Amino acid sequence: MGAELLSGKVVSAKIREELKIELINMKKDGIIAGLAVVIVGDDAASRVYVNAKKKACAEIGIESYEYALSEETSQAELLDLVNSLNSNNKVNGILVQLPLPKHIDEETIINAINPSKDVDAFHPHNVGKIMIGNYDFLPCTPAGVMELIKESGVEISGKECVVVGRSNIVGKPQAMLLLHSNGTITVCHSRTRDLKEVCRRADILVVAIGKAEFVTKEYVKPGAVVIDVGMNRLENKKLVGDVAFEEVAEVASYITPVPGGVGPMTIAMLMKNTVKAAILQSGKK
Ligand code: NDP
C-alpha cells in the first residue's frame, strides 16, 4: 500500500477526548448535555448506528435518552414525540434515525424538529445557514470528512475536489463545505457522463454513492486524497466502502478505510453538535 491511512478511529478518539474535558467543565457551570435518539422499527443497520451513538454519549458524558418505537408507529405519534422533545429542557439535541418506515414522511418529521436542537443539521433552516456559510451545526458526515482531510495536512484551497453522490445528507453539504474551504468543486451523480475521467481530475475525491467497491484505481489520479463515505454490507457480512481499497491505496496519497474511516467521525461530529447545542441553549457561554 502506497497511501497513508487516514484513520477515523484515531482522529475521532482525539475529538471525543476533547469533548469529554469540555463536558466536565460545562458540568461545573451547571450545563449537562442531553441527546434524544429516536428509532422507529427494527432495521438492523439503524440499530447498530443508534447503539454506537448511545455508547459514544455514555463514554464522554452526554446524557442519552432512547425512544425505540414500533414499526407501526403513526406519523402523528412520531410528531407528538418530536414536539415533546422540542420542549424538554433536558434534551439539547434530537436525532431521528433514518430511514423511517415508508408510511412516515421523513421531510415532515425533520421539519418538525426545533432547528436549535437539530444536531444532524438536516432541517431546512440549518441547511440554508450552511449554504450561506454562517452556521451553528455542521452536518455530521461531511464535517467528519473535512476533519479527515485536515488531518492529511493537504490544503483544500484551490484544489480540484470531486464529490461523487448528491444526497441531501452527504453529497450536497459536502460540496458546500469544500467550497467554503475554497476548493474548486465538481459534484457527480448517476447521470454524470465520463465519471472515470471526471474523478481522475480530483486532487481530493470524496465518494458517497452506496455501491460496494465501485471506485477502482482507474478513477483515481496518482497522489489524490481519497475519502470513502460508503458503507456496504456484502453477502458474507463484510463491511466495505464505495472504493476498492486495496488497489486504490496503491495510487492515492491518503485514503480512509472502511470500517474505521468516516463512520466514527460522523459519530464524533454528532457529539460535537450536541455539546454546542447544550452550550447555546444554556445561554451561559
Ligand atoms: P443516497 O442513496 O441518498 O445517494 C447516493 C448518491 O450516489 C446519489 O446522488 C446517486 O445519484 C449517486 N450514485 C448512485 N450510483 C451512482 C453511480 N453509479 N455513479 C455515480 N453516482 C451514483 O446515499 P447517501 O448519500 O445517503 O449515502 C451514500 C453512502 O454513504 C451509502 O453507502 C451510505 O451507507 C453511506 N453513508 C455513510 C455514513 C457514514 O457515517 N460513514 C453516513 C451516511 C451515509 P442520483 O442522485 O443521480 O441518484
Side-chain angles (χ1 to χ4, degrees), residues 51-275:
N51 287 348
K53 288 165 187 175
K54 278 167 50 192
K55 185 163 166 253
C57 283
E59 275 169 11
I60 67 169
I62 292 176
E63 295 292 326
S64 73
Y65 309 98
E66 180 181 316
Y67 297 84
L69 310 181
S70 82
E71 183 84 23
E72 287 73 42
T73 302
S74 69
Q75 179 163 308
E77 285 167 331
L78 184 54
L79 278 174
D80 279 349
L81 173 61
V82 169
N83 285 331
S84 77
L85 296 173
N86 280 341
S87 50
N88 181 339
N89 289 337
K90 284 189 174 161
V91 171
N92 305 112
I94 301 170
L95 178 143
V96 178
Q97 186 64 46
L98 303 180
L100 291 169
K102 297 253 175 311
H103 63 276
I104 299 179
D105 180 44
E106 287 183 355
E107 206 177 327
T108 303
I109 301 301
I110 289 169
N111 290 357
I113 297 173
N114 180 337
S116 66
K117 296 191 176 185
D118 170 38
V119 284
D120 264 332
F122 291 164
H123 190 287
H125 175 89
N126 288 322
V127 174
K129 291 185 80 153
I130 292 156
M131 181 91 174
I132 294 164
N134 167 23
Y135 38 74
D136 294 323
F137 306 122
L138 286 175
C140 302
T141 300
V145 169
M146 297 304 282
E147 291 292 327
L148 287 171
I149 297 172
K150 195 161 109 193
E151 184 70 13
S152 75
V154 170
E155 180 67 40
I156 297 170
S157 182
K159 295 281 166 56
E160 289 282 344
C161 304
V162 174
V163 179
V164 193
R166 57 171 165 182
S167 70
N168 288 334
I169 64 170
V170 188
K172 278 186 212 164
Q174 188 67 68
M176 207 46 67
L177 298 193
L178 288 162
L179 184 60
H180 291 324
S181 291
N182 300 316
T184 300
I185 317 301
T186 306
V187 183
C188 303
H189 45 77
S190 64
R191 315 282 174 89
T192 298
R193 263 187 288 158
D194 305 326
L195 182 64
K196 225 176 253 183
E197 281 65 40
V198 178
C199 288
R200 271 186 80 86
R201 293 208 299 258
D203 301 307
I204 297 170
L205 178 64
V206 181
V207 189
I209 57 178
K211 296 227 151 72
E213 300 176 322
F214 181 91
V215 169
T216 53
K217 67 174 187 297
E218 293 79 27
Y219 287 72
V220 178
K221 173 160 105 177
V225 176
V226 179
I227 310 283
D228 187 356
V229 180
M231 292 207 283
N232 311 286
R233 190 70 66 179
L234 299 181
E235 266 178 24
N236 64 8
K237 300 271 186 274
K238 193 178 168 208
L239 188 67
V240 298
D242 291 345
V243 173
F245 180 85
E246 298 294 338
E247 60 172 89
V248 171
E250 295 300 328
V251 291
S253 59
Y254 292 91
I255 188 167
T256 59
V258 178
V262 175
M265 294 303 296
T266 298
I267 295 178
M269 292 299 121
L270 174 70
M271 301 296 110
K272 197 169 175 179
N273 282 348
T274 305
V275 167

